[in-house]
Amino acid sequence: MLSQIRPAIMMIVLLTIITGIAYPFAITGIGQVIFPKQANGSLIEKNGKVIGSSLIGQNFAGETYFHGRPSATTDTDPNDSTKTISAPYNAQSSTGSNLGPTSKALMDRVKGDVDTLKAQSDKPVPVDLVTTSASGLDPDITPAAAEFQIARVAKARNMSPDVLHELVLRNTEDRTFGVLGEAHVNVLKLNLALDASSAAH
């Protein structure tokens, strides 16, 4: 019996060392050498201080900033721990709304958002400005969604729409390798560029 148990124990110990220690250390080391920025969370700094990650969206609600997609993430209600409240872009609670396409609550929310956005511009409302992502943390919007918001931001900041258009173009990232995904604009990076441009004017 010992002759059967001993190899099994040795195999468990060996695989634990290989898959639980050696492999994670090796992959972490390779990541730090080849892709250090990505391996450390793709963090974005301003004046030496970390202000976010290019992988996780933030909730920009003011008129003077470009807004990301709606977010369905929630948090615990501080007044009642058995309930939740809306907490857009809560990175500790990544989730979608789980509302189906026939949900009245979803249709009412989208219609309300569309009506609000139509009052800001005569352009067609981009779908990503009224739909949430599966994660609730999408950091990017389409170029069309950024262009749609130019009139509002230009008015709020008293800036030229042409300047904002150039900012959007400079912060538009093409498809990965030219074929994967779609062209997109990182909202945090765009708003940082916006602040810098406002300070310069």
Side-chain angles (χ1 to χ4, degrees):
M1 185 173 176
L2 279 176
S3 62
Q4 295 175 337
I5 294 177
R6 184 176 296 155
I9 293 174
M10 292 301 296
M11 187 60 69
I12 289 173
V13 172
L14 181 61
L15 287 174
T16 298
I17 293 172
I18 293 173
T19 61
I21 300 175
Y23 178 77
F25 269 99
I27 295 302
T28 300
I30 291 171
Q32 290 292 340
V33 172
I34 301 177
F35 305 109
K37 181 176 175 59
Q38 292 86 340
N40 290 306
S42 299
L43 301 178
I44 296 176
E45 295 184 2
K46 181 179 181 181
N47 300 325
K49 181 181 179 182
V50 174
I51 59 169
S53 167
S54 62
L55 304 176
I56 299 177
Q58 294 186 20
N59 188 31
F60 291 97
E63 294 295 300
T64 57
Y65 285 104
F66 288 90
H67 301 168
R69 298 181 66 176
S71 174
T73 58
T74 60
D75 201 355
T76 304
D77 187 337
N79 300 317
D80 186 348
S81 61
T82 64
K83 298 179 180 178
T84 59
I85 57 174
S86 176
Y89 292 97
N90 177 13
Q92 295 179 331
S93 181
S94 175
T95 185
S97 69
N98 292 325
L99 297 177
T102 59
S103 166
K104 185 177 185 306
L106 176 63
M107 288 189 282
D108 289 345
R109 198 270 301 159
V110 170
K111 184 179 183 303
D113 288 352
V114 169
D115 290 343
T116 299
L117 291 169
K118 279 184 175 178
Q120 299 176 10
S121 174
D122 55 0
K123 295 180 180 178
V125 177
V127 68
D128 54 319
L129 286 183
V130 295
T131 56
T132 62
S133 65
S135 69
L137 305 175
D138 194 345
D140 304 319
I141 55 176
T142 60
E147 291 282 348
F148 181 89
Q149 300 180 69
I150 284 178
R152 169 178 55 78
V153 176
K155 180 180 179 181
R157 292 206 177 219
N158 195 28
M159 292 180 68
S160 164
D162 291 337
V163 171
L164 296 182
H165 176 71
E166 285 300 316
L167 276 180
V168 170
L169 287 180
R170 287 203 303 269
N171 285 276
T172 297
E173 299 178 42
D174 203 358
R175 295 179 173 187
T176 304
F177 305 124
V179 294
L180 300 177
E182 296 293 336
H184 57 278
V185 180
N186 186 281
V187 179
L188 176 56
K189 291 180 180 178
L190 176 59
N191 282 330
L192 286 173
L194 174 62
D195 280 344
S197 180
S198 291
H201 284 76

